[in-house]
Amino acid sequence: MNNLNDPPRWNIQPEQGGGEAGAGGGHQWNYALLVPMLGLAAFRWIWTRDSQNEIQKVKVQYDKDVSVIKSKMEARYRDTLTESRRAVAMLELELEKEQQRVKGYQQALVSHSQHLIQERKKLEQEREALNDEKQKLVKSGAAGAALRDALEREAEWHQRASATLRELEGLLVERQNAYCSLIQPRDQRLEMEKNMLLKVVKNPVAAELGLESDLQDIFKRDKHCADLMNMDKRKNGSLMWVYLKYWQLQITLQKHKRAEEAIFDGRIQGHGK
């Protein structure tokens, strides 16, 4: 067995003897240091080369991944941009259609209002003509007495018609307020409109005046609302007020026509006969 206190010759000794110390001992020590240093250098070179290869592979793979992600992001951006432009184009088209529709409604409302104004002027002219005719009849003695009797008989009908219009005016004010309200449900307004139509259909006076179609026209066309700070309900609506004035003239004219028909039909006789 090897003696650890006296190792073989391959164990490096700093000095082997006096004669050999100066000759070969130093070279053995230098060689012993050179071998591990060369091994370490070789290991470092191999490790560095493998590390660089691994780093290069990682860099190449990273560049590929970044390129793929970049391509996907660019494609997604182009798709999103295309969709956004398409959506903007569609919104612009819808906006233009709505603007044209509103413009058409406004023109129709103006035209309809002008038509009603003309009708009202016509009714006023007819009323003035009837008033002139009434004055002539009043001055003619018996015919005048007959006309007075006929007008008195139609006064009750006129009062009922006027009361119907006053009630309808209040309902229209509330309906228009519901239309202009930002918090009142739409279903509530539709229910109000339905009840109003049923009321005028069942009311003989309203049916005689033909108010049902006029109300439907108001519900369809009157979209006027006062400003948001308005607290006066009667400032809402535009077409409805034109119709109310038209209806008032209509019942006045109808009163005189009913009286005239009563005289011509012989239901009213003059006091002189």
Side-chain angles (χ1 to χ4, degrees), residues 234-251:
R234 300 181 66 83
K235 289 185 178 180
N236 294 321
S238 175
L239 184 61
M240 55 177 276
W241 297 111
V242 177
Y243 263 116
L244 284 167
K245 292 179 181 179
Y246 172 76
W247 293 336
Q248 188 62 48
L249 289 172
Q250 194 176 11
I251 63 172

Side-chain angles (χ1 to χ4, degrees), residues 87-103:
V88 169
M90 291 180 64
L91 287 174
E92 289 178 348
L93 181 61
E94 290 296 327
L95 179 61
E96 184 177 356
K97 289 181 179 178
E98 288 298 325
Q99 289 175 344
Q100 292 296 329
R101 187 178 303 171
V102 170
K103 186 177 180 180

Side-chain angles (χ1 to χ4, degrees), residues 3 22 73 75 78 124 144 166 176 191 228-229 250 257 259:
N3 187 358
M73 292 297 292
R78 288 193 296 269
E124 288 177 347
R166 286 193 297 272
Q176 197 68 19
E191 185 67 21
L228 294 177
M229 301 303 294
Q250 194 176 11
K257 284 185 175 181

Side-chain angles (χ1 to χ4, degrees), residues 108-109 111-113 115-116 172 175-176 197 211-223 239-240 243 247:
L109 181 60
S111 176
H112 199 69
S113 299
H115 176 71
L116 284 175
L172 281 172
R175 178 264 170 193
Q176 197 68 19
L197 290 173
L211 302 185
E212 181 182 3
S213 60
D214 293 345
L215 281 178
Q216 292 175 345
D217 194 40
I218 292 173
F219 299 157
K220 179 180 178 181
R221 299 179 182 275
D222 199 339
K223 303 180 184 301
L239 184 61
M240 55 177 276
Y243 263 116
W247 293 336

